[in-house]
PDB file of all heavy atoms in Angstrom:
ATOM      1  N   THR M 154     -64.642 -41.735-157.733  1.00 84.00           N
ATOM      2  CA  THR M 154     -63.336 -42.140-157.230  1.00 84.00           C
ATOM      3  C   THR M 154     -63.371 -42.601-155.787  1.00 84.00           C
ATOM      4  O   THR M 154     -62.452 -43.258-155.331  1.00 84.00           O
ATOM      5  CB  THR M 154     -62.351 -40.970-157.323  1.00 84.00           C
ATOM      6  OG1 THR M 154     -62.843 -39.885-156.508  1.00 84.00           O
ATOM      7  CG2 THR M 154     -62.207 -40.507-158.753  1.00 84.00           C
ATOM      8  N   GLY M 155     -64.414 -42.243-155.034  1.00 78.00           N
ATOM      9  CA  GLY M 155     -64.392 -42.493-153.604  1.00 78.00           C
ATOM     10  C   GLY M 155     -63.707 -41.338-152.895  1.00 78.00           C
ATOM     11  O   GLY M 155     -62.957 -40.564-153.498  1.00 78.00           O
ATOM     12  N   PRO M 156     -63.942 -41.163-151.593  1.00 89.00           N
ATOM     13  CA  PRO M 156     -63.321 -40.053-150.861  1.00 89.00           C
ATOM     14  C   PRO M 156     -61.806 -40.229-150.751  1.00 89.00           C
ATOM     15  O   PRO M 156     -61.305 -41.342-150.650  1.00 89.00           O
ATOM     16  CB  PRO M 156     -64.000 -40.118-149.485  1.00 89.00           C
ATOM     17  CG  PRO M 156     -64.437 -41.541-149.347  1.00 89.00           C
ATOM     18  CD  PRO M 156     -64.800 -41.999-150.725  1.00 89.00           C
ATOM     19  N   ILE M 157     -61.083 -39.117-150.780  1.00 89.00           N
ATOM     20  CA  ILE M 157     -59.619 -39.113-150.647  1.00 89.00           C
ATOM     21  C   ILE M 157     -59.269 -38.304-149.403  1.00 89.00           C
ATOM     22  O   ILE M 157     -59.626 -37.124-149.297  1.00 89.00           O
ATOM     23  CB  ILE M 157     -58.962 -38.513-151.897  1.00 89.00           C
ATOM     24  CG1 ILE M 157     -59.334 -39.345-153.135  1.00 89.00           C
ATOM     25  CG2 ILE M 157     -57.449 -38.424-151.731  1.00 89.00           C
ATOM     26  CD1 ILE M 157     -58.828 -38.776-154.434  1.00 89.00           C
ATOM     27  N   SER M 158     -58.589 -38.942-148.455  1.00 88.00           N
ATOM     28  CA  SER M 158     -58.329 -38.325-147.155  1.00 88.00           C
ATOM     29  C   SER M 158     -56.837 -38.338-146.839  1.00 88.00           C
ATOM     30  O   SER M 158     -56.106 -39.249-147.240  1.00 88.00           O
ATOM     31  CB  SER M 158     -59.091 -39.060-146.043  1.00 88.00           C
ATOM     32  OG  SER M 158     -60.488 -39.041-146.288  1.00 88.00           O
ATOM     33  N   VAL M 159     -56.405 -37.309-146.102  1.00 87.00           N
ATOM     34  CA  VAL M 159     -55.028 -37.196-145.623  1.00 87.00           C
ATOM     35  C   VAL M 159     -55.083 -36.863-144.134  1.00 87.00           C
ATOM     36  O   VAL M 159     -55.764 -35.915-143.727  1.00 87.00           O
ATOM     37  CB  VAL M 159     -54.243 -36.110-146.397  1.00 87.00           C
ATOM     38  CG1 VAL M 159     -52.894 -35.884-145.737  1.00 87.00           C
ATOM     39  CG2 VAL M 159     -54.056 -36.505-147.842  1.00 87.00           C
ATOM     40  N   GLU M 160     -54.395 -37.648-143.315  1.00 89.00           N
ATOM     41  CA  GLU M 160     -54.341 -37.410-141.880  1.00 89.00           C
ATOM     42  C   GLU M 160     -53.094 -36.593-141.534  1.00 89.00           C
ATOM     43  O   GLU M 160     -52.053 -36.724-142.174  1.00 89.00           O
ATOM     44  CB  GLU M 160     -54.334 -38.739-141.134  1.00 89.00           C
ATOM     45  CG  GLU M 160     -55.569 -39.586-141.396  1.00 89.00           C
ATOM     46  CD  GLU M 160     -55.498 -40.932-140.686  1.00 89.00           C
ATOM     47  OE1 GLU M 160     -54.422 -41.228-140.107  1.00 89.00           O
ATOM     48  OE2 GLU M 160     -56.498 -41.678-140.724  1.00 89.00           O
ATOM     49  N   TYR M 161     -53.225 -35.744-140.480  1.00 87.00           N
ATOM     50  CA  TYR M 161     -52.077 -34.934-140.060  1.00 87.00           C
ATOM     51  C   TYR M 161     -51.993 -34.909-138.542  1.00 87.00           C
ATOM     52  O   TYR M 161     -52.976 -35.161-137.828  1.00 87.00           O
ATOM     53  CB  TYR M 161     -52.170 -33.522-140.621  1.00 87.00           C
ATOM     54  CG  TYR M 161     -53.297 -32.692-140.054  1.00 87.00           C
ATOM     55  CD1 TYR M 161     -53.138 -31.941-138.881  1.00 87.00           C
ATOM     56  CD2 TYR M 161     -54.542 -32.655-140.687  1.00 87.00           C
ATOM     57  CE1 TYR M 161     -54.184 -31.181-138.370  1.00 87.00           C
ATOM     58  CE2 TYR M 161     -55.582 -31.901-140.179  1.00 87.00           C
ATOM     59  CZ  TYR M 161     -55.395 -31.160-139.018  1.00 87.00           C
ATOM     60  OH  TYR M 161     -56.424 -30.415-138.495  1.00 87.00           O
ATOM     61  N   GLU M 162     -50.789 -34.595-138.069  1.00 88.00           N
ATOM     62  CA  GLU M 162     -50.523 -34.490-136.624  1.00 88.00           C
ATOM     63  C   GLU M 162     -49.709 -33.229-136.366  1.00 88.00           C
ATOM     64  O   GLU M 162     -48.631 -33.054-136.942  1.00 88.00           O
ATOM     65  CB  GLU M 162     -49.778 -35.735-136.137  1.00 88.00           C
ATOM     66  CG  GLU M 162     -49.433 -35.690-134.656  1.00 88.00           C
ATOM     67  CD  GLU M 162     -48.653 -36.916-134.223  1.00 88.00           C
ATOM     68  OE1 GLU M 162     -49.224 -38.030-134.300  1.00 88.00           O
ATOM     69  OE2 GLU M 162     -47.469 -36.756-133.841  1.00 88.00           O
ATOM     70  N   ASP M 163     -50.243 -32.354-135.513  1.00 83.00           N
ATOM     71  CA  ASP M 163     -49.608 -31.068-135.207  1.00 83.00           C
ATOM     72  C   ASP M 163     -49.141 -31.077-133.764  1.00 83.00           C
ATOM     73  O   ASP M 163     -49.938 -31.050-132.825  1.00 83.00           O
ATOM     74  CB  ASP M 163     -50.609 -29.926-135.442  1.00 83.00           C
ATOM     75  CG  ASP M 163     -49.935 -28.562-135.366  1.00 83.00           C
ATOM     76  OD1 ASP M 163     -48.713 -28.512-135.092  1.00 83.00           O
ATOM     77  OD2 ASP M 163     -50.641 -27.555-135.577  1.00 83.00           O
ATOM     78  N   ALA M 164     -47.793 -31.140-133.554  1.00 81.00           N
ATOM     79  CA  ALA M 164     -47.213 -31.161-132.216  1.00 81.00           C
ATOM     80  C   ALA M 164     -46.513 -29.852-131.871  1.00 81.00           C
ATOM     81  O   ALA M 164     -45.733 -29.790-130.914  1.00 81.00           O
ATOM     82  CB  ALA M 164     -46.230 -32.335-132.106  1.00 81.00           C
ATOM     83  N   ARG M 165     -46.796 -28.786-132.608  1.00 83.00           N
ATOM     84  CA  ARG M 165     -46.133 -27.509-132.352  1.00 83.00           C
ATOM     85  C   ARG M 165     -46.690 -26.832-131.101  1.00 83.00           C
ATOM     86  O   ARG M 165     -47.820 -27.103-130.674  1.00 83.00           O
ATOM     87  CB  ARG M 165     -46.313 -26.593-133.574  1.00 83.00           C
ATOM     88  CG  ARG M 165     -45.708 -27.130-134.857  1.00 83.00           C
ATOM     89  CD  ARG M 165     -46.022 -26.228-136.030  1.00 83.00           C
ATOM     90  NE  ARG M 165     -47.465 -26.131-136.257  1.00 83.00           N
ATOM     91  CZ  ARG M 165     -48.018 -25.373-137.182  1.00 83.00           C
ATOM     92  NH1 ARG M 165     -47.250 -24.620-137.962  1.00 83.00           N
ATOM     93  NH2 ARG M 165     -49.334 -25.339-137.324  1.00 83.00           N
TER      94      ARG M 165
END
Side-chain angles (χ1 to χ4, degrees):
T154 61
I157 300 175
S158 301
V159 172
E160 300 177 353
Y161 68 87
E162 179 182 296
D163 190 358
R165 299 175 299 177

